[in-house]
Amino acid sequence: MSTPDQRGGRSRWMEVQESTLALARKCEQFDPDGITVYLFSGRFKRYDDVTSAKVEQLFQENDPAGTTNLAAVLQDATNYYFQRKAAGKTKPAGETILVITDGEPDDRRAVMEVIVDASRKMERDEELAISFIQIGADPQATKFLQALDEQLAGVGAKFDICDAITFADIEEMSLSEVLLNAIND
């Protein structure tokens, strides 16, 4: 994430920070309580009720280093969703987990298992979506994310809940625009 390959020589981390800020501002229009933000590499940290005022602080307190333990963060995010669902605290129109990543995960199989398991717990296709946004151009990550987007039904997913997009797909759009489109979709 520290690679400076974004517009104007900016790092991926800076691009993600600015996009998260834009997303938090947009979400505050509908839900003033804020969003849940996970920052992850080899480990993850979950921050609940993040408003736009807190975004910069989160990014200053964390560094983009380490591996990509995507399975653990997705497991926590889906568990958190189903806990809130059981308590009647989820959004009736559905919710989206947005994942911004620049590399392939440490354990591909574990990521697939988490998503398939989550889909099997769902009652409606619209209740939960996971949108992967790849920043950077790692071809192995692209291939894996496309498989998540297109092939999980073939390995037992109840619903097709994944969508994947790369920066090559969205060259004319900023990451902020992509994030806002994902939540509006």
Side-chain angles (χ1 to χ4, degrees), residues 1 6 12-13 15-21 23 37-41 59 68 70 73-74 97-103 130-136 145 165 167 175-176 178-180 182:
M1 282 290 195
Q6 299 302 297
R12 296 171 184 175
W13 187 248
E15 184 77 19
V16 171
Q17 176 182 341
E18 290 180 11
S19 300
T20 303
L21 178 59
L23 179 64
V37 174
Y38 287 86
L39 297 176
F40 70 99
S41 56
F59 279 82
T68 306
L70 183 55
V73 73
L74 279 177
I97 297 170
L98 296 171
V99 179
I100 303 171
T101 186
D102 69 344
I130 302 173
S131 291
F132 293 94
I133 301 167
Q134 182 186 353
I135 188 168
L145 295 176
I165 190 166
F167 264 38
L175 181 55
S176 298
V178 172
L179 291 173
L180 296 176

Side-chain angles (χ1 to χ4, degrees), residues 121-155:
K121 294 177 182 175
M122 295 169 47
E123 297 168 18
R124 302 176 295 113
D125 185 27
E126 306 81 28
E127 97 180 59
L128 182 64
I130 302 173
S131 291
F132 293 94
I133 301 167
Q134 182 186 353
I135 188 168
D138 180 331
Q140 294 302 319
T142 302
K143 184 178 176 181
F144 178 68
L145 295 176
Q146 288 173 339
L148 292 178
D149 187 2
E150 300 167 2
Q151 300 173 6
L152 287 182
V155 294

Side-chain angles (χ1 to χ4, degrees), residues 7-181:
R7 296 176 199 179
R10 295 166 3 128
S11 73
R12 296 171 184 175
W13 187 248
M14 182 59 70
E15 184 77 19
V16 171
Q17 176 182 341
E18 290 180 11
S19 300
T20 303
L21 178 59
L23 179 64
R25 286 182 178 146
K26 181 68 173 179
C27 290
E28 284 172 355
Q29 295 174 8
F30 307 103
D31 185 0
D33 294 336
I35 60 176
T36 300
V37 174
Y38 287 86
L39 297 176
F40 70 99
S41 56
R43 295 187 209 162
F44 70 86
K45 293 181 184 177
R46 182 177 89 199
Y47 300 91
D48 295 320
D49 306 321
V50 175
T51 61
S52 58
K54 293 181 184 178
V55 170
E56 185 176 355
Q57 176 187 346
L58 296 183
F59 279 82
Q60 288 176 350
E61 292 174 355
N62 293 276
D63 292 319
T67 61
T68 306
N69 189 357
L70 183 55
V73 73
L74 279 177
Q75 185 68 66
D76 192 80
T78 57
N79 286 348
Y80 183 56
Y81 169 79
F82 288 110
Q83 288 168 1
R84 289 183 301 106
K85 178 183 174 186
K89 295 181 179 180
T90 54
K91 307 293 181 217
E95 295 190 16
T96 301
I97 297 170
L98 296 171
V99 179
I100 303 171
T101 186
D102 69 344
E104 69 175 311
D106 299 343
D107 187 342
R108 289 176 168 215
R109 182 180 189 94
V111 170
M112 293 171 65
E113 288 173 356
V114 168
I115 296 168
V116 168
D117 183 53
S119 76
R120 290 177 178 167
K121 294 177 182 175
M122 295 169 47
E123 297 168 18
R124 302 176 295 113
D125 185 27
E126 306 81 28
E127 97 180 59
L128 182 64
I130 302 173
S131 291
F132 293 94
I133 301 167
Q134 182 186 353
I135 188 168
D138 180 331
Q140 294 302 319
T142 302
K143 184 178 176 181
F144 178 68
L145 295 176
Q146 288 173 339
L148 292 178
D149 187 2
E150 300 167 2
Q151 300 173 6
L152 287 182
V155 294
K158 182 176 177 182
F159 299 109
D160 177 12
I161 64 172
C162 290
D163 183 40
I165 190 166
T166 67
F167 264 38
D169 296 332
I170 53 164
E171 285 184 23
E172 300 303 316
M173 298 172 69
S174 71
L175 181 55
S176 298
E177 292 170 319
V178 172
L179 291 173
L180 296 176
N181 286 343

